[in-house]
Amino acid sequence: MVEVTATLGIFFFAALLEIGGGYLVWKWLKDHKTKIFGLVGALILFSYGIVMTLQPENFGKVYATYGGIFVVASIIWGYWVDKKKPDRFEIIGSAVVLIGVAVMFYFPR
Amino acid sequence: MYNSLSYKKNLVLMNNAQKIMSSVVLFFLAGLCEIGGGYLVWLWLREDFSWMLGAVGGFVLFLYGIVPTFQKTYFHRVYAAYGGVFIVMSVFWGWLIDGVHPDSYDIIGTIIAVIGVLIIFYYPRKGEKVWSR
């Protein structure tokens, strides 16, 4: 259980870094903010790659599972930033995605 | 053969097909940069390769941050679909490039996750705008 909490924490932290870093690069190029935004964004994206290496599994499994976390993060992002309330099928689909990656990452072998 | 109405309709269809194609290519490119960059950082820290690979990986991750700025969709559901593509690409990357064979739970889990993404993306809804500009 401790391991589940720790690995989930790492996954969500990684998602925060990826989306945050990407957002800063976006601000730099699309909203013409200073280069500092791009630079800090690049460093945060790099740290996303570093945080992912903390997971106690092989590369493909870690990244595939992270993809599922990313799906849920996109839906939450749409809710917070675009103010688009997830509909029933987005919630059901997200739950199915989470079940799938949980089977992959957490099913005891 | 064509009257002007169906000609216009075809133009719109072609325009949409073009947008979808360029969007798919960009997502594929983003996935390649994200997974490839992450893999180089992984080789540096987990497999004791030179720090230079880590540095190149960091740069490729930065490129990954640039790719979505060319994306013409702002729709979060499309990003959810990208997550599905990302899951499948990661499994193949681990298998073909990292040489770790996925076991049956990996494969079952991937299939379930993709079904979830298909529910999010393809369940028909009315009157939604997907593209900006």
Side-chain angles (χ1 to χ4, degrees):
Chain A
M1 208 54 215
V2 176
E3 203 187 279
V4 173
T5 318
T7 49
L8 270 182
I10 296 170
F11 276 129
F12 276 103
F13 184 51
L16 202 66
L17 291 175
E18 187 201 337
I19 295 173
Y23 183 71
L24 288 178
V25 173
W26 180 280
K27 281 274 157 198
W28 164 49
L29 289 172
K30 298 286 262 201
D31 296 342
H32 306 291
K33 301 273 183 193
T34 104
K35 284 198 239 351
I36 314 265
F37 276 73
L39 188 68
V40 174
L43 287 174
I44 293 178
L45 283 171
F46 187 27
S47 65
Y48 150 74
I50 292 172
V51 165
M52 291 285 272
T53 67
L54 301 175
Q55 295 288 19
E57 263 299 345
N58 67 63
F59 178 81
K61 195 179 288 196
V62 169
Y63 271 72
T65 306
Y66 175 75
I69 305 293
F70 182 87
V71 171
V72 176
S74 312
I75 300 295
I76 296 174
W77 185 259
Y79 185 37
W80 277 348
V81 179
D82 297 336
K83 306 280 177 250
K84 169 115 190 11
K85 211 168 174 216
D87 66 21
R88 186 184 306 161
F89 294 97
E90 282 169 335
I91 293 169
I92 294 171
S94 300
V96 173
V97 171
L98 281 184
I99 291 168
V101 294
V103 167
M104 182 158 27
F105 201 80
Y106 293 111
F107 197 90
R109 325 292 215 267
Chain B
M1 207 61 166
Y2 290 105
N3 59 44
S4 75
L5 194 70
S6 73
Y7 176 71
K8 264 186 199 152
K9 220 164 119 189
N10 274 338
L11 265 187
V12 170
L13 277 180
M14 261 167 61
N15 199 12
N16 274 343
Q18 238 170 29
K19 279 179 177 167
I20 292 168
M21 262 318 285
S22 73
S23 180
V24 167
V25 168
L26 284 173
F27 275 123
F28 183 73
L29 198 64
L32 220 54
C33 287
E34 187 178 356
I35 298 171
Y39 187 63
L40 293 174
V41 174
W42 187 280
L43 287 181
W44 164 46
L45 291 172
R46 289 281 287 263
E47 314 285 343
D48 292 325
F49 279 80
S50 150
W51 61 269
M52 283 195 296
L53 281 188
V56 174
F59 185 72
V60 176
L61 282 172
F62 170 53
L63 293 183
Y64 155 73
I66 293 176
V67 173
T69 63
F70 296 101
Q71 195 62 264
K72 282 195 173 61
T73 175
Y74 63 93
F75 206 44
H76 61 274
R77 202 177 291 149
V78 178
Y79 280 85
Y82 168 66
V85 173
F86 186 89
I87 292 170
V88 175
M89 278 175 82
S90 299
V91 170
F92 276 101
W93 189 289
W95 182 14
L96 300 175
I97 295 180
D98 211 21
V100 180
H101 212 290
D103 67 17
S104 41
Y105 294 105
D106 293 337
I107 295 167
I108 293 167
T110 303
I111 293 170
I112 295 173
V114 168
I115 291 171
V117 171
L118 293 178
I119 293 172
I120 294 174
F121 195 70
Y122 281 112
Y123 193 86
R125 288 93 162 172
K126 276 183 194 158
E128 282 182 333
K129 202 169 160 267
V130 179
W131 306 98
S132 62
R133 274 170 291 167

